[in-house]
Amino acid sequence: MSTADRLTVIATGAAIAMAVVGGSCSTNARIGDLSARIGDLSARIDEVRTELGARIDEVRTELGARIDATNARIDRLETRLDGIDGRLRRVEVAFGEVNQRLLTLERVLLPPPAN
């Protein structure tokens, strides 16, 4: 409950107390007017609460869709990175094979080092 709502309740309580003590018709009329205004305020608060709830639901739905789209993009990036990792591993293996062949050729074709 907001401060304004609390003040309204306190003012209403004070007005009711004054009406009970004073018992005048003008006080009763003012209490009736105040009651009507509080009723109007309560109705407006309910309207705003409903509108706000609907807007929050819209934002939540939109945000959920954006998060799902972002997650899908991240999944695609992970898949692509896994593919790049696999290709890079195959290149590493191929370089290792080439290096092994070069070492073999060096041993066969080059004279041994002189000591």
Side-chain angles (χ1 to χ4, degrees), residues 40-97:
D40 292 344
L41 179 62
S42 178
R44 180 62 185 137
I45 288 171
D46 289 341
E47 289 174 14
V48 169
R49 184 179 294 141
T50 300
E51 291 170 7
L52 183 60
R55 182 62 184 135
I56 288 172
D57 289 342
E58 289 173 13
V59 169
R60 189 176 289 144
T61 300
E62 183 179 327
L63 184 59
R66 287 183 180 188
I67 289 172
D68 290 344
T70 301
N71 285 340
R73 291 179 71 190
I74 289 171
D75 290 344
R76 286 193 305 270
L77 286 173
E78 286 177 345
T79 301
R80 290 177 70 186
L81 286 174
D82 288 343
I84 290 171
D85 273 351
R87 289 192 306 254
L88 182 58
R89 180 69 185 138
R90 287 191 298 274
V91 168
E92 288 173 338
V93 169
F95 271 122
E97 290 172 358

